[in-house]
Amino acid sequence: MSVKVGIIGAGMVGSAAAYALALSGTASEIVLVDRSGPLARAQAEDISHAVPFASSTTVSQGSYAELSGAAIVILAAGVSQKPGEERLSLLARNAAVFAEVLAEVGRAAPGAILLVASNPVDIMTHVATRLSGLPPARVIGSGTILDTARFRSLLGRHLGISPQSVHAYVLGEHGDSEVLAWSAARAGALPIREAGAQLGAAITPSVVAEIDEGVRRAAYRIIEGKGATWYGIGAGLARIVRAIAHDEAAVLSVSTLTPEVAGVAGATLSIPRVLGREGVQADLMPTLDPEERAALARSATMLAETAAALKL
């Protein structure tokens, strides 16, 4: 299947996504666009040298015009998060970048699904939805896909099983107000606490607190250690692209403008959604306990109020 993917922003996140896509062979063609032509050219050439080991994907540097025919365009442009900086504080600096980028993408690839990776990703997905004029189902933020992967990884490590056998989601904001849906978590077919009891790895309050902190603070620890995160989100973006390109109807926790969630209207946030060729096909809202539902309502309210205050 021939799938062309454009990536705006050839920094660490954009290049990591391109690398993951190229090695997996998910995309037949990848075009990197960046304000720095030499950076995009260097990244494209470097990734191209890895391709013979894994796939037949072509990777090139180009202008916005070369995005013509792209089925999916990943938006990874913007300024980086500083150590200790809250994601939402990035908003003012990144919204201006998006206004310029979306105008160019709209002219070059009007039929593409937009996949937003720039932080704060939920608000930037809201910005992209409003400025592009596309249906919310075709403007998808990476949202909590990485937080969900972190949650599953830590649960799998605690239980001593593969994280691919853990079914658990992080909901709401990709950020400090995110909600770990413990009550809906499963290992195989069992509720997570029953699985822990059978496996001799009880899910105690201290384990819950440790895993919650491990998920919620992961980005801050990585940023403190090396300045930014890129491998995890690069793989997450490649997974989303695969679900769309192959029309998988896969269930992934991604962010879109949502009519209503937990009694809050107009928030752009993550819940599990079915992804296929046309973008988001359906939402699958897990059953939450009252505390989780209240936390999700707080997260949604914060995001909706921030979005409502934007002057677009």
Side-chain angles (χ1 to χ4, degrees), residues 237-254:
L237 291 166
R239 179 66 186 94
I240 296 169
V241 169
R242 190 179 87 198
I244 296 169
H246 294 177
D247 199 21
E248 287 184 354
V251 179
L252 302 172
S253 57
V254 294

Side-chain angles (χ1 to χ4, degrees), residues 9-33:
M12 297 311 301
V13 170
S15 62
Y19 185 64
L21 284 168
L23 289 193
S24 66
T26 299
S28 56
E29 181 181 357
I30 300 169
V31 178
L32 287 166
V33 179

Side-chain angles (χ1 to χ4, degrees), residues 251-268:
V251 179
L252 302 172
S253 57
V254 294
S255 183
T256 64
L257 178 58
T258 309
E260 185 275 333
V261 63
V264 179
T268 300

Side-chain angles (χ1 to χ4, degrees), residues 10-292:
M12 297 311 301
V13 170
S15 62
Y19 185 64
L21 284 168
L23 289 193
S24 66
T26 299
S28 56
E29 181 181 357
I30 300 169
V31 178
L32 287 166
V33 179
D34 196 280
R35 285 183 174 180
S36 170
L39 173 63
R41 191 174 302 110
Q43 297 281 37
E45 185 173 357
D46 194 13
I47 295 168
S48 293
H49 296 162
V51 167
F53 298 111
S55 74
S56 58
T57 301
T58 62
V59 186
S60 63
Q61 175 266 338
S63 66
Y64 284 103
E66 273 72 62
L67 297 177
S68 178
I72 302 161
V73 173
I74 297 173
L75 304 177
V79 291
S80 299
Q81 187 175 9
K82 298 176 181 178
E85 182 181 24
E86 301 290 337
R87 285 185 174 91
L88 291 177
S89 72
L90 291 171
L91 176 57
R93 295 194 292 145
N94 272 330
V97 174
F98 260 42
E100 177 185 335
V101 167
L102 287 166
E104 296 284 359
V105 173
R107 283 190 286 269
I113 289 175
L114 302 181
L115 177 50
V116 181
S118 303
N119 276 320
V121 68
D122 302 296
I123 298 301
M124 298 315 299
T125 303
H126 186 92
V127 169
T129 303
R130 294 304 192 201
L131 293 181
S132 69
L134 291 172
R138 296 183 64 84
V139 184
I140 301 165
S142 56
T144 60
I145 192 166
L146 180 54
D147 309 279
T148 290
R150 291 164 175 160
F151 191 18
R152 293 178 179 183
S153 175
L154 292 174
L155 278 171
R157 187 181 304 171
H158 174 73
L159 295 172
I161 64 174
S162 166
Q164 293 179 333
S165 295
V166 176
H167 312 289
Y169 294 92
V170 177
L171 316 177
E173 179 201 7
H174 171 54
D176 294 338
S177 71
E178 64 191 23
V179 180
L180 280 64
W182 284 93
S183 64
R186 298 287 187 272
L190 291 178
I192 203 71
R193 286 177 171 80
E194 290 185 26
Q198 289 194 26
L199 293 168
I203 307 293
T204 64
S206 63
V207 169
V208 170
E210 182 180 354
I211 290 178
D212 184 281
E213 194 275 340
V215 173
R216 200 176 300 275
R217 303 299 299 176
Y220 294 107
R221 289 192 299 273
I222 294 169
I223 290 168
E224 182 179 356
K226 69 175 192 176
T229 67
W230 55 81
Y231 293 125
I233 189 57
L237 291 166
R239 179 66 186 94
I240 296 169
V241 169
R242 190 179 87 198
I244 296 169
H246 294 177
D247 199 21
E248 287 184 354
V251 179
L252 302 172
S253 57
V254 294
S255 183
T256 64
L257 178 58
T258 309
E260 185 275 333
V261 63
V264 179
T268 300
L269 80 180
S270 290
I271 59 175
R273 305 183 196 270
V274 181
L275 291 183
R277 186 173 295 116
E278 298 304 316
V280 174
Q281 299 175 348
D283 297 343
L284 286 176
M285 184 67 192
T287 301
L288 305 176
D289 66 26
E291 184 178 344
E292 291 165 345

